[in-house]
Amino acid sequence: MDAKNQTAKSAKLAVENEQWELAVRPGTIGPSVIDISRLYGDTGMFTYDPGFTSTASCESKITYIDGDEGILLYRGYPIEQLAEHGDFLETCYLLLYGELPTAAQKADFDHRVTRHTMVHEQMLRFFQGFRRDAHPMAVLVGCVGALSAFYHDSIDISDPHQRLVASIRMIAKMPTLAAMAYKYSIGQPFIYPKNELDYAANFLRMCFAVPTEEYKVNPVVARAMDRIFILHADHEQNASTSTVRLAGSSGANPFACIAAGIACLWGPAHGGANEAALKMLSEIGTPDRIPEFVKRAKDKNDPFRLMGFGHRVYKNYDPRAKIMQKTCHEVLSELGIKDDPLLDVAMELERVALQDDYFVEKKLYPNIDFYSGITLKAMGFPTSMFTVLFALARTVGWIAQWKEMIEDPHQKIGRPRQLYTGATRRDYVAISRRK
Ligand code: SDX
């Protein structure tokens, strides 16, 4: 980051013969901001930044990303250390409350989440309304939005206790709903959560156990699942988090806000990229076909992009991708998957792309979605479940960011403006007189 701008106290804006002074606010780390909140009132002009490539939408203390250095911190702690030493519910506590829990706080938090993992029994009937071949993300969007129809005692966002209960319920019930969406799609009976299991092991059992026999959770796979949840937990003001914040700014209940975030995450440019990346690797099929696809990815006239590559913020390696790659190898080795053709294609594609001028100049590196699909497929999940798992993990990030926004005393409804380039005022013409 260019240091010269980090000490400025103000910025000057000159338009023709007028000049305005704008306050500059520094962050604890990372880019400062030029406060333009009074710009329209003072100048009668808007700023213009489609895609928000240069816009800070809020002040936050939760997650910090340095795209040039490939750094990701949750409440100041490097993702590498949290993934190595902690577990997902510890990360949930950290994201929600800002500090790592003591042993007593962790035990209490684990206990509270565990005791909210069941869903209202009538939710089971809600599932029956879907076709069996419905995409699990469609089912998840519907069911999470419907939670506000079942839990009336935790939708008053002005009540801190109800906000806490809704937060715990969302974190606790997402694995259960995600597993139910999977079971429903394959026509198997739902498996209830088991309180003696930890978060990731409980989820794996709800997905892969059947009533006819005991299911033994593989501890290596469960640890990998838990680490994948940690990697996906939060990521600053990405598209789905911004969606949750915007929905929450109107006062909508937390379940509806999370449903909006799930809907946004579904897109292939965002959380749908892990499903799209695996489909791309399958379409490439063998390493010898990689040059053909790399050529297409570089062709401006071809909409094809290398899924799992590139990032709005990371112009260096996504730190999560490195941990994801290591986890991928651990899971494949534990499951005795020696020569996964998709992994061969992925490793060769990464090698080729990282040497190709186009990708080097545009700073396109593998992102978290590049290796997650191979890992999840090895665990036994169908590609249609990949974004569901991303949503499961990101729920705590959405909730933490929603909570931070609701508790911000300066919070107001989000309402962007526009550059209007449509028709000027004109009078109605009767249909008989239209040409
Ligand atoms: C996630 O925001 C987050 O934090 C998201 C996320 C999170 O945790 O929440 O990290 C999760 O969504 C990761 C990203 C997953 N998406 C994909 O892997 C899909 C493939 N990637 C691209 O669609 C793209 O890289 C984006 C959407 C991720 C980022 O797009 P940007 O920042 O808007 O960049 P861009 O589209 O303007 O691309 C810049 C240039 C363009 O070329 P030029 O027009 O400048 O000539 O790079 C090219 C693009 O054509 N480019 C690619 C490419 N990604 C960008 N070319 C080929 N393959 C790609 N993957």
Side-chain angles (χ1 to χ4, degrees):
M1 177 46 57
D2 181 348
K4 74 172 184 302
N5 295 332
Q6 298 315 303
T7 54
K9 295 281 178 289
S10 67
K12 289 184 176 46
L13 175 66
V15 179
E16 292 180 357
N17 55 1
E18 287 203 83
Q19 183 169 296
W20 293 272
E21 187 154 8
L22 302 167
V24 172
R25 290 183 57 198
T28 39
I29 36 178
S32 299
V33 297
I34 300 172
D35 186 337
I36 57 164
S37 47
R38 295 175 40 78
L39 185 76
Y40 177 57
D42 292 351
T43 70
M45 284 188 283
F46 299 136
T47 57
Y48 182 67
D49 183 18
F52 312 119
T53 51
S54 302
T55 294
S57 62
C58 63
E59 176 180 343
S60 180
K61 299 177 177 11
I62 298 174
T63 294
Y64 176 72
I65 303 172
D66 182 327
D68 295 326
E69 300 301 321
I71 290 169
L72 169 56
L73 309 176
Y74 288 167
R75 299 285 190 178
Y77 294 97
I79 189 70
E80 295 83 354
Q81 295 180 22
L82 292 168
E84 183 70 32
H85 303 299
D87 68 23
F88 179 64
L89 285 186
E90 178 184 75
T91 291
C92 289
Y93 186 99
L94 174 65
L95 289 171
L96 285 170
Y97 300 112
E99 297 298 334
L100 288 169
T102 62
Q105 289 167 334
K106 177 73 167 52
D108 171 62
F109 188 73
D110 286 6
H111 177 84
R112 277 192 289 160
V113 170
T114 302
R115 291 250 162 341
H116 278 281
T117 48
M118 282 184 21
V119 294
H120 192 292
E121 195 65 7
Q122 278 182 235
M123 284 293 291
L124 277 57
R125 301 231 311 270
F126 194 81
F127 274 82
Q128 306 311 330
F130 292 104
R131 287 173 34 156
R132 289 282 177 179
D133 62 353
H135 194 293
M137 281 296 278
V139 174
L140 196 65
V141 168
C143 288
V144 169
L147 288 175
S148 50
F150 288 89
Y151 298 104
H152 301 133
D153 61 343
S154 60
I155 53 176
D156 174 0
I157 61 163
S158 63
D159 176 350
H161 176 69
Q162 291 199 33
R163 293 203 299 267
L164 172 64
V165 172
S167 303
I168 295 286
R169 277 179 166 151
M170 278 308 330
I171 294 165
K173 295 180 192 312
M174 281 301 272
T176 309
L177 290 171
M180 290 170 76
Y182 172 55
K183 284 300 200 186
Y184 187 73
S185 73
I186 58 175
Q188 285 187 1
F190 298 138
I191 299 292
Y192 285 88
K194 211 168 182 176
N195 290 351
E196 72 204 42
L197 296 174
D198 69 29
Y199 194 85
N202 210 354
F203 173 63
L204 289 170
R205 182 179 168 278
M206 287 190 283
C207 288
F208 299 122
V210 286
T212 49
E213 59 191 34
E214 270 313 299
Y215 176 79
K216 194 170 170 350
V217 178
N218 178 320
V220 173
V221 173
R223 177 71 189 121
M225 186 82 265
D226 191 84
R227 190 185 302 145
I228 290 170
F229 290 159
I230 292 173
L231 295 179
H232 287 80
D234 193 47
H235 214 239
E236 201 212 67
Q237 304 311 318
N238 59 84
S240 53
T241 298
S242 300
T243 300
V244 171
R245 278 181 171 261
L246 197 55
S249 74
S250 75
N253 74 71
F255 303 113
C257 295
I258 299 303
I262 296 170
C264 176
L265 186 76
W266 196 357
H270 189 15
N274 51 19
E275 179 176 352
L278 199 88
K279 284 180 179 160
M280 175 193 73
L281 294 173
S282 305
E283 189 185 350
I284 294 173
T286 51
D288 62 306
R289 294 193 64 206
I290 287 172
E292 168 198 337
F293 283 84
V294 167
K295 185 166 178 288
R296 282 186 57 196
K298 292 153 66 172
D299 178 357
K300 283 278 148 264
N301 302 316
D302 188 330
F304 173 79
R305 287 192 166 178
L306 286 186
M307 302 315 281
F309 268 82
H311 198 279
R312 170 61 59 76
V313 176
Y314 289 124
K315 302 309 174 190
N316 194 325
Y317 224 96
D318 181 338
R320 303 168 298 175
K322 284 187 182 130
I323 304 167
M324 201 63 246
Q325 186 188 48
K326 175 172 168 279
T327 304
C328 183
H329 285 292
E330 281 172 11
V331 168
L332 294 183
S333 160
E334 170 65 17
L335 298 176
I337 301 172
K338 295 277 180 292
D339 50 356
D340 182 339
L342 292 180
L343 182 61
D344 297 342
V345 172
M347 302 280 282
E348 178 59 10
L349 177 58
E350 181 182 25
R351 188 191 66 77
V352 168
L354 294 184
Q355 290 175 346
D356 185 292
D357 290 346
Y358 175 90
F359 293 91
V360 172
E361 278 154 29
K362 293 184 186 297
K363 300 183 177 179
L364 301 174
Y365 293 89
N367 58 48
I368 188 166
D369 296 301
F370 188 63
Y371 283 102
S372 58
I374 299 167
T375 313
L376 298 174
K377 176 175 176 287
M379 289 177 166
F381 292 104
T383 49
S384 60
M385 277 294 289
F386 290 1
T387 312
V388 169
L389 300 182
F390 194 149
L392 187 169
R394 185 54 57 87
T395 292
V396 64
W398 290 330
I399 284 283
Q401 299 269 353
W402 168 80
K403 177 177 178 288
E404 182 178 64
M405 177 205 58
I406 293 286
E407 291 170 356
D408 176 351
H410 306 298
Q411 186 267 329
K412 58 177 76 168
I413 189 167
R415 204 290 188 205
R417 301 302 301 274
Q418 63 180 8
L419 170 66
Y420 179 70
T421 55
T424 54
R425 189 193 180 286
R426 51 185 172 166
D427 292 326
Y428 182 82
V429 176
I431 193 164
S432 58
R433 293 176 48 219
R434 292 171 210 163
K435 295 183 181 54

